Amino acid sequence: MTSGIHDKVSVSGSVSVELYSRDGDLIQTQDFSNLVTTSGKEFLTRKLVSDPEVVDSIEIGIGTTAADLSDTVMENTVASEDIRFQSTENNIASFIATFAENVPPQDETISEVGLISDNDLLICRAVLDTPFVKATTDYLVINWKLQIG
């Protein structure tokens, strides 16, 4: 009998970003994949043994360096919002945060997003192919999905 782990479980993520005007009109939407960092995979492994650390927030930033497995922080965060809604279904965990008007407090060209634990661990990071401007009058909804398997 051979010892070791034979089954492989993959973890993948996707992000949906929706930018709305103050009046609620959809300005732009983007859907893209993200990179689950090495520390993010370690976080998920710890969760199997009841680690109390939790997914806590989503950050937006202006960094442009490509995402890398060894990333431990965002390149240049401009705002962070707590997860307001989370759910699980069909091996997919969803985390949603909303960035209101005046968050960040000035117009910013958003080019990176990150999923963060309550211990400030960067679980996932993505650099957008198409950065966008979030004006102070706009609000932004980010829905982050992690799929196991």
Side-chain angles (χ1 to χ4, degrees), residues 37 39-40 42-44 46-47 51-59 72-74 80-83 86 95 114-124 146:
T37 63
S39 57
E42 291 168 358
F43 166 83
L44 294 170
R46 287 194 310 274
K47 296 305 292 175
D51 187 293
E53 189 174 10
V54 296
V55 177
D56 182 67
S57 60
I58 294 176
E59 293 181 355
T72 57
V73 295
M74 295 271 286
S80 178
E81 285 294 333
D82 291 342
I83 301 295
Q86 56 188 339
F95 306 93
L115 187 64
I116 312 297
S117 80
D118 59 342
N119 288 332
D120 293 325
L121 173 83
L122 179 64
I123 299 167
C124 301
L146 288 177

Side-chain angles (χ1 to χ4, degrees), residues 87-128:
S87 66
T88 59
E89 185 176 353
N90 298 325
N91 298 335
I92 299 173
S94 296
F95 306 93
I96 299 174
T98 301
F99 294 79
E101 291 183 50
N102 298 309
V103 178
Q106 61 195 28
D107 292 0
E108 292 283 2
T109 300
I110 305 304
S111 55
E112 67 174 330
V113 294
L115 187 64
I116 312 297
S117 80
D118 59 342
N119 288 332
D120 293 325
L121 173 83
L122 179 64
I123 299 167
C124 301
R125 180 171 176 253
V127 175
L128 285 65

Side-chain angles (χ1 to χ4, degrees), residues 32-33 63-67 75 111-113 125-130:
F32 47 90
S33 297
T64 57
T65 303
E75 183 177 352
S111 55
E112 67 174 330
V113 294
R125 180 171 176 253
V127 175
L128 285 65
D129 290 333
T130 308

Side-chain angles (χ1 to χ4, degrees), residues 28-48:
Q28 180 177 354
T29 185
Q30 287 188 46
D31 295 302
F32 47 90
S33 297
N34 71 264
L35 179 70
V36 180
T37 63
T38 298
S39 57
K41 291 174 185 175
E42 291 168 358
F43 166 83
L44 294 170
T45 302
R46 287 194 310 274
K47 296 305 292 175
L48 294 173

Side-chain angles (χ1 to χ4, degrees), residues 60-78:
I60 56 176
I62 57 174
T64 57
T65 303
D68 186 84
L69 285 174
S70 63
D71 288 346
T72 57
V73 295
M74 295 271 286
E75 183 177 352
N76 197 343
T77 300
V78 295

